[in-house]
Amino acid sequence: MQYDLSLEDVNVCKTKNAKSNQLAFGVMLSFFKRYTQFPMATEANISSELILQVAKSLDIDPLFITTFDWSGRNAKKYRQEIRKYLGYRVTNAEDIASIINYLVDNLIPRQLSDSVLLEQTRLYFSKNKIEIVSTQQLEGYILLANQKFEQQFFDKIFNNLNQEDFLLIDRILSKDEDEDHEIIELSELKKDIAGAKIKNIQGAINRVNLLSRIKLSDSVVDTVDRKLLLKYYERVMAFAPSNILDFSPTTKYATMAVFFHVRLEFLLDSLTDTMIKLVKKVRSGAEKHVDCYILAEVKRVDGKFDILEKLAVLNAKNPKGIIEEKIYPVVPQDKLEAVIDDLQHRSSKWYQDQVQEKMHTTYAYGNRSSLLSILRTLQMLEDHIDYKPILDAIRFINEYWNESDLAYYINIPPLSGVVPQSWYNTTVRIEKGHLRINKYNYELLNLPLKAKEFIVKLKTSTANNLERLNANIPNNKLVQIKKSKVGNNIKLTPSDPQDEPDNIVKLQQEINNKYSSIHLIDILKECDLRINFTKTLETIGKSSSLNSSDLQKRLLLCIFGIGSNTGLKRISIANDGINYSDLRYVKKRHVNAVNIRNAIRILVNNVLKIRDPDVWGEATTTVACDSTHLFAWDQNLMSEWHFRYGKKGVMIYWHVDKKSLCIYSQLKDCSSSEVGSMIKGIIDHDTDMDINRVFIDTHGQSVIGFAVSYLLHFALYPRLKAINKQKLYYVDSKDKNKYTNIAEILKGSINWQLIEDNYDEMVKHMVALKLGIVTPSVLIKRFSNNNYSHPVYKALVELGKANKTIFLCQYLASEELRIEVNEGLNVVERLNSVMDFIFYGKLGQIATNNIEDQELSILCLHLLQVCMVYINTLIIQSILSGSHWQNKFTPKDYRALTPLFSGHINPYGLFPLDFSKRLSIGLTI
């Protein structure tokens, strides 16, 4: 680090009468210019590098600094002179008021982290030529600003509420058993929808209607970060009504109003998911019904399928035989006529017609009123012209859904752009010369800088990679491009498996001998004693009455109980002086998803910081992503059936670096896009790791994923299951005959004009992703095959084709890259087994229907894994620093080295067997 003194600075220093004074003045001046504050009143707090550089600039022996009195009059006088020389001043009361106002108006509403707030406050001091005070004083200013902002925020909300709002909140918080049924108690408002079932819809709609009676004004919502609203929402979710009633009136009503706003958003999202799942159930149920019917037809012994088989056999054996003599004795004429009559009633679309008919019946006589009640509850808005017909249709349904008892609409609803052609026969009929629209089927429908510079760079990269692959493929013994009638044009020879190096085995044996049977809970404790990550688990209330040591112990027990899935009750039994209610109290107020994610971020950053480059190599920028399945209770909207695992549950999606450190984790349902989960982790991980390469399995990639990765500046490297069928795209149609060695896997050219025309729109969508305006899963859903006509979707597809072509060229050309991708994904597979080792309680099942608690279980599990990696990293570095390991490790050993091992860890506790103790049950002593 450079601590430069200008020529003018040197001349000012030289005006001091002694060399020790000159050096001290220079050190103080240089320190102030860099940090806008003076060093502490002792030489020990000043880096030797600073002293040496200043001494060199002044041509003075650095040892003179030891004779200077840092607490004397000269030191005080020099501080005054330096402030005057640089134009700075000491903080006064007016400055403090200005700083607090600046924080309240500009920073606090954005809900920035404490570290960012500190840094921004320091920048304010520097910009306004004010000497920066101590960190403790800065934190005090931030605390005052937070209090002032919160009071102003609550006052603003309170002033927008009326007496009816106050009465409604009071009735909810103090609901009696004899209270009006329109009033729902707070505990019921906090509940999620218990699964996609018809019986759950009306209760959810009642909650939505109640919550929508209190609204936050746009002037409140638009001026603060959503994280701030979630903070007060979590406070109400954790507190009992009696706790909220203890708040001051302003705080109580304002906090509840925020809760109403956020809870309404979540419930509307859940209602939408419920409707989608129910419509899917109608279709899947109809298909299952038709499949059963077909199977019954096949099983009939004297059915038409047996007749057709007999006819085929007779014709094959008697090609020149007479029908009367050969066929009728086996299959009578009347039987054949019956088969003909049956088959003639079945068109080429018979299966789909039967499915639609069954869907119509199920909807019309079972689900219609419930689904329409959801549709009437939701308010749908969309600016894009493609969706206008759908919104017009929804408005029509809401207006005329109950106009008569007839099975068709009296008024004619909009059809163009709403009803697919395949549904016209079922939906639209001519009856007595009038157009009749079957309202049941109609409602059942699934209503759902510069570009040229960007393109030139992408074109060049695509062309260069195609040329390299075309030139190198003849000499590549592991990859063959061949002709194939079924499209299997690529033959890829797998690389030889790698054996585990002997030194890795010896290292693990030494670790097991030296650190045998470390308790998992002790690993968690040791990490907190070293890092103090529990400081981030702040109360969602205004303050905590627990002393710091008791709080720390209870927080660690909560994290361990949730993360190991043993539960708070079992953990409380094993610890004297702590009961179950104590842990529940701490969990409600301190242990939530936001706080645990902050703790994980601090732990991950510390692991990255302590890694020795000589052992682990330079900082990695690569993560591998994959998901795993966990069984979970299913009376909620998250748990779903997974066809591959053959059971209900949830998915956990991991982002893991090459050295087994889990960077990000998230809970997802079984049907949501893994591409969206992959993108979300890259955007939201919020650690010090700079991710620019991502290894994923087949399910985590798509053409849209390749497009997004290119726009967000990270490279996507999937391990494709169907690598033999992959195709490449060339830059221009004139290039078709240019790449003769890879011609069999070339499919077509890329439409660059589409990318150029929609470049600005693509960038807008990526900005929305980065800012959190839209989630990746929503974006991936929007740009799916069902929305192919959308111009931005088409442009993203073309961009994805180009980026995927670049990847395939590199993947096919480089065995090292293929090995690296496989190694990275194998790390995730090992992670899953270690997660099972940690998450051992309740047979590894998530035993709750509360989605927030499900997510919290995964995050606490993630935190325990990071703690395990942290301690194992320290252990490995400690052992390898021993003299007997010097110069023993080879590059192959370092490549195989991982902190993801658990042979020396005991997750369960101790089980002592004492024969001197007996159970006093009917024993005669």
Side-chain angles (χ1 to χ4, degrees):
M1 187 177 289
Q2 292 296 316
Y3 297 92
D4 296 327
L5 288 176
S6 66
L7 182 60
E8 185 182 359
D9 296 338
V10 172
N11 291 333
V12 172
C13 294
K14 292 292 187 181
T15 61
K16 306 308 166 191
N17 54 8
K19 288 187 176 182
S20 61
N21 291 343
Q22 292 175 12
L23 183 55
F25 188 91
V27 167
M28 293 170 68
L29 174 60
S30 185
F31 191 97
F32 191 91
K33 287 177 71 175
R34 175 163 290 278
Y35 301 110
T36 324
Q37 59 185 169
F38 293 106
M40 301 293 288
T42 170
E43 175 200 345
N45 292 301
I46 305 171
S47 71
S48 57
E49 183 182 2
L50 168 59
I51 296 172
L52 290 172
Q53 287 187 30
V54 173
K56 184 177 179 181
S57 299
L58 297 175
D59 194 21
I60 296 174
D61 187 341
L63 292 177
F64 275 107
I65 199 70
T66 59
T67 63
F68 184 76
D69 182 8
W70 289 94
S71 58
R73 287 187 303 171
N74 278 345
K76 183 177 181 181
K77 182 175 73 172
Y78 291 167
R79 293 190 188 100
Q80 294 173 346
E81 291 178 4
I82 290 171
R83 291 190 197 104
K84 186 176 181 181
Y85 172 64
L86 296 176
Y88 280 78
R89 67 178 187 274
V90 179
T91 309
N92 55 39
E94 187 177 338
D95 291 330
I96 294 173
S98 299
I99 291 162
I100 291 174
N101 289 333
Y102 170 75
L103 290 169
V104 168
D105 296 337
N106 299 284
L107 301 180
I108 303 297
R110 294 160 60 188
Q111 199 64 11
L112 303 170
S113 65
D114 292 342
S115 59
V116 174
L117 281 175
L118 274 171
E119 188 59 33
Q120 290 294 319
T121 308
R122 290 190 179 102
L123 287 174
Y124 177 88
F125 273 78
S126 299
K127 183 179 178 181
N128 291 276
K129 295 283 187 177
I130 306 171
E131 180 186 343
I132 297 178
V133 296
S134 68
T135 299
Q136 187 175 1
Q137 286 176 284
L138 292 178
E139 289 173 344
Y141 298 156
I142 292 171
L143 178 61
L144 290 172
N146 271 311
Q147 293 173 349
K148 182 176 180 180
F149 170 79
E150 184 176 279
Q151 191 57 52
Q152 291 180 356
F153 181 65
F154 284 165
D155 288 341
K156 189 174 183 180
I157 296 173
F158 182 83
N159 293 332
N160 281 312
L161 301 177
N162 55 43
Q163 289 298 324
E164 291 183 3
D165 298 332
F166 299 150
L167 180 60
L168 176 60
I169 291 171
D170 287 336
R171 292 173 69 187
I172 289 172
L173 293 175
S174 309
K175 186 178 186 302
D176 298 325
E177 292 183 3
D178 299 330
E179 185 75 57
D180 186 351
H181 291 300
E182 289 185 5
I183 302 301
I184 303 171
E185 62 184 25
L186 185 60
S187 60
E188 289 296 319
L189 291 176
K190 293 178 181 179
K191 289 182 180 178
D192 294 320
I193 299 176
K197 297 179 181 178
I198 294 295
K199 66 179 183 180
N200 297 328
I201 291 177
Q202 191 55 52
I205 290 175
N206 291 341
R207 281 177 273 164
V208 166
N209 291 336
L210 181 64
L211 291 169
S212 60
R213 289 168 62 177
I214 295 180
K215 299 183 184 299
L216 291 183
S217 66
D218 293 340
S219 62
V220 172
V221 177
D222 296 341
T223 55
V224 297
D225 192 281
R226 180 170 170 77
K227 292 177 184 176
L228 186 71
L229 300 179
L230 290 174
K231 171 185 171 182
Y232 298 120
Y233 167 78
E234 292 290 348
R235 184 177 294 178
V236 176
M237 288 294 287
F239 282 11
S242 58
N243 302 128
I244 301 171
L245 288 170
D246 291 338
F247 294 171
S248 68
T250 302
T251 303
K252 176 180 68 174
Y253 294 123
T255 306
M256 284 297 294
V258 172
F259 169 79
F260 270 60
H261 174 83
V262 177
R263 191 65 190 147
L264 177 62
E265 291 179 340
F266 285 154
L267 269 178
L268 288 174
D269 287 345
S270 297
L271 261 181
T272 305
D273 289 340
T274 301
M275 182 175 183
I276 293 170
K277 289 175 186 286
L278 286 172
V279 171
K280 287 182 177 178
K281 276 187 178 181
V282 171
R283 171 171 284 280
S284 61
E287 289 175 347
K288 186 176 180 181
H289 173 83
V290 177
D291 290 345
C292 290
Y293 171 75
I294 293 173
L295 186 61
E297 286 279 287
V298 172
K299 288 181 176 179
R300 278 168 34 188
V301 178
D302 59 344
K304 61 188 72 62
F305 294 100
D306 295 311
I307 294 171
L308 293 174
E309 181 191 7
K310 291 175 183 177
L311 288 173
V313 172
L314 287 171
N315 278 286
K317 290 183 176 180
N318 305 284
K320 296 182 179 180
I322 299 172
I323 292 175
E324 276 184 306
E325 297 176 357
K326 299 294 183 182
I327 294 180
Y328 284 172
V330 179
V331 183
Q333 184 178 0
D334 59 338
K335 270 285 188 189
L336 285 174
E337 289 175 351
V339 171
I340 292 169
D341 183 61
D342 184 66
L343 293 177
Q344 282 181 342
H345 284 84
R346 304 191 178 190
S347 64
S348 59
K349 296 183 178 180
W350 176 84
Y351 179 84
Q352 192 58 43
D353 290 343
Q354 292 299 308
V355 170
Q356 290 179 0
E357 188 63 33
K358 182 59 180 175
M359 289 174 70
H360 159 252
T361 304
T362 304
Y363 174 73
Y365 302 106
N367 298 348
R368 180 176 183 256
S369 61
S370 297
L371 290 176
L372 287 187
S373 64
I374 297 178
L375 205 59
R376 291 193 300 275
T377 302
L378 302 175
Q379 295 182 6
M380 301 186 186
L381 300 173
E382 174 58 58
D383 295 332
H384 199 283
I385 191 171
D386 289 351
Y387 300 108
K388 187 175 184 302
I390 296 294
L391 295 182
D392 290 341
I394 291 173
R395 282 191 286 271
F396 179 90
I397 291 172
N398 287 337
E399 183 174 356
Y400 296 109
W401 72 279
N402 202 27
E403 65 178 350
S404 73
D405 293 331
L406 300 174
Y408 54 82
Y409 286 118
I410 297 174
N411 294 281
I412 303 301
L415 297 175
S416 177
V418 178
V419 179
Q421 193 65 37
S422 60
W423 277 81
Y424 261 65
N425 291 337
T426 313
T427 305
V428 182
R429 294 178 183 173
I430 304 297
E431 194 175 289
K432 296 181 180 180
H434 296 284
L435 185 68
R436 299 301 191 196
I437 311 299
N438 189 298
K439 58 186 175 185
Y440 304 130
N441 291 289
Y442 178 76
E443 294 158 2
L444 187 58
L445 299 175
N446 196 5
L447 302 176
L449 18 162
K450 296 184 179 179
K452 289 188 182 296
E453 294 177 9
F454 175 83
I455 289 172
V456 167
K457 181 181 177 183
L458 183 58
K459 277 184 177 181
T460 303
S461 180
T462 306
N464 290 343
N465 278 278
L466 285 168
E467 288 171 7
R468 278 195 292 269
L469 181 64
N470 186 63
N472 297 334
I473 202 69
N475 303 319
N476 194 331
K477 296 180 180 180
L478 297 177
V479 181
Q480 294 180 19
I481 308 297
K482 58 180 184 176
K483 291 185 178 181
S484 173
K485 292 182 180 180
V486 293
N488 297 332
N489 301 108
I490 302 174
K491 184 180 179 182
L492 196 63
T493 303
S495 302
D496 295 330
Q498 301 178 25
D499 296 327
E500 187 174 18
D502 292 338
N503 282 331
I504 295 296
V505 176
K506 293 176 182 176
L507 176 64
Q508 290 182 350
Q509 287 174 348
E510 184 171 341
I511 290 172
N512 289 338
N513 293 335
K514 190 172 181 179
Y515 298 97
S516 62
S517 194
I518 299 177
H519 297 304
L520 183 59
I521 197 168
D522 288 335
I523 287 178
L524 177 67
K525 175 195 69 179
E526 184 65 24
C527 285
D528 193 41
L529 293 175
R530 289 171 179 261
I531 301 171
N532 192 22
F533 62 82
T534 51
K535 69 181 180 183
T536 64
L537 306 183
E538 298 175 345
T539 177
I540 57 175
K542 285 198 169 184
S543 61
S544 176
S545 58
L546 291 172
N547 64 61
S548 58
S549 59
D550 288 344
L551 179 60
Q552 181 186 31
K553 184 176 181 180
R554 294 178 189 183
L555 285 172
L556 293 176
L557 290 173
C558 284
I559 292 170
F560 185 80
I562 298 169
S564 64
N565 207 29
T566 51
L568 302 185
K569 189 173 290 185
R570 292 286 176 265
I571 292 296
S572 64
I573 293 172
N575 286 270
D576 295 333
I578 293 178
N579 56 47
Y580 177 49
S581 60
D582 293 336
L583 297 186
R584 284 189 62 195
Y585 177 89
V586 168
K587 175 184 175 289
K588 276 190 172 184
R589 284 159 175 75
H590 293 267
V591 184
N592 55 58
V594 174
N595 284 347
I596 296 296
R597 283 204 185 277
N598 287 333
I600 291 171
R601 174 177 52 81
I602 290 174
L603 279 163
V604 168
N605 290 340
N606 274 274
V607 173
L608 298 174
K609 189 184 298 182
I610 64 167
R611 280 179 176 170
D612 184 351
D614 293 335
V615 176
W616 308 102
E618 295 301 322
T620 179
T621 59
T622 303
V623 294
C625 305
D626 202 3
S627 62
T628 188
H629 182 272
L630 273 184
F631 177 82
W633 287 2
D634 61 357
Q635 296 300 305
N636 57 81
L637 296 177
M638 181 65 70
S639 185
E640 293 178 341
W641 178 267
H642 198 291
F643 71 94
R644 188 151 44 95
Y645 291 94
K647 55 184 177 181
K648 287 188 176 183
V650 295
M651 302 295 289
I652 303 111
Y653 201 80
W654 311 111
H655 287 65
V656 188
D657 84 342
K658 292 176 67 175
K659 294 302 179 184
S660 307
L661 176 63
C662 189
I663 303 296
Y664 191 80
S665 61
Q666 55 191 298
L667 187 73
K668 63 184 286 293
D669 59 53
C670 299
S671 60
S672 63
S673 167
E674 289 196 12
V675 180
S677 300
M678 176 271 296
I679 297 170
K680 178 178 173 60
I682 303 301
I683 294 173
D684 292 349
H685 69 92
D686 198 29
T687 68
D688 292 342
M689 186 176 179
D690 184 18
I691 300 174
N692 58 28
R693 296 201 310 165
V694 181
F695 298 158
I696 49 174
D697 233 324
T698 300
H699 298 97
Q701 63 83 37
S702 69
V703 178
I704 297 296
F706 272 102
V708 173
S709 73
Y710 191 85
L711 290 167
L712 294 181
H713 306 293
F714 66 88
L716 211 57
Y717 293 100
R719 181 173 60 188
L720 296 168
K721 187 176 182 180
I723 186 66
N724 57 328
K725 294 181 180 292
Q726 298 302 313
K727 301 296 180 183
L728 305 179
Y729 293 84
Y730 38 86
V731 173
D732 193 280
S733 57
K734 294 182 289 186
D735 298 337
K736 186 175 183 180
N737 301 319
K738 185 177 178 181
Y739 311 108
T740 55
N741 295 324
I742 55 174
E744 295 297 332
I745 58 173
L746 294 176
K747 187 169 184 179
S749 61
I750 296 161
N751 188 338
W752 301 102
Q753 192 60 48
L754 256 178
I755 298 175
E756 182 176 347
D757 293 344
N758 295 279
Y759 176 70
D760 290 339
E761 286 299 315
M762 288 193 295
V763 172
K764 286 180 183 177
H765 282 86
M766 294 308 107
V767 171
L769 272 180
K770 294 284 281 186
L771 296 178
I773 297 171
V774 62
T775 62
S777 59
V778 170
L779 183 79
I780 296 300
K781 276 185 181 178
R782 177 163 187 157
F783 294 136
S784 63
N785 289 330
N786 296 328
N787 203 11
Y788 183 77
S789 61
H790 200 294
V792 177
Y793 172 77
K794 291 180 178 179
L796 286 170
V797 167
E798 297 301 316
L799 174 57
K801 288 177 182 177
N803 194 26
K804 188 174 182 180
T805 296
I806 293 169
F807 155 73
L808 285 170
C809 290
Q810 297 172 354
Y811 189 79
L812 295 175
S814 172
E815 184 187 13
E816 290 76 15
L817 177 59
R818 296 195 296 273
I819 291 174
E820 191 179 5
V821 171
N822 272 289
E823 282 181 346
L825 290 170
N826 287 341
V827 169
V828 188
E829 297 298 336
R830 288 199 300 271
L831 175 80
N832 287 332
S833 65
V834 170
M835 292 306 194
D836 291 340
F837 169 79
I838 298 172
F839 201 68
Y840 63 86
K842 302 181 181 74
L843 301 177
Q845 300 177 0
I846 302 179
T848 177
N849 279 314
N850 187 292
I851 296 174
E852 285 80 10
D853 284 344
Q854 290 181 355
E855 181 185 18
L856 195 59
S857 295
I858 302 310
L859 291 175
C860 288
L861 167 62
H862 180 184
L863 189 146
L864 288 176
Q865 189 270 347
V866 178
C867 288
M868 189 170 139
V869 170
Y870 180 86
I871 296 299
N872 282 349
T873 300
L874 292 175
I875 289 174
I876 289 172
Q877 292 176 179
S878 173
I879 289 180
L880 290 182
S881 65
S883 58
H884 61 292
W885 281 102
Q886 296 305 309
N887 302 320
K888 275 194 173 183
F889 256 45
T890 65
K892 188 177 179 181
D893 295 323
Y894 283 118
R895 186 171 183 172
L897 187 62
T898 173
L900 199 65
F901 55 91
S902 56
H904 60 303
I905 297 175
N906 172 20
Y908 311 112
L910 297 176
F911 304 97
L913 183 63
D914 189 348
F915 281 95
S916 65
K917 293 182 179 179
R918 299 287 302 276
L919 299 177
S920 56
I921 306 172
L923 292 178
T924 303
I925 302 175

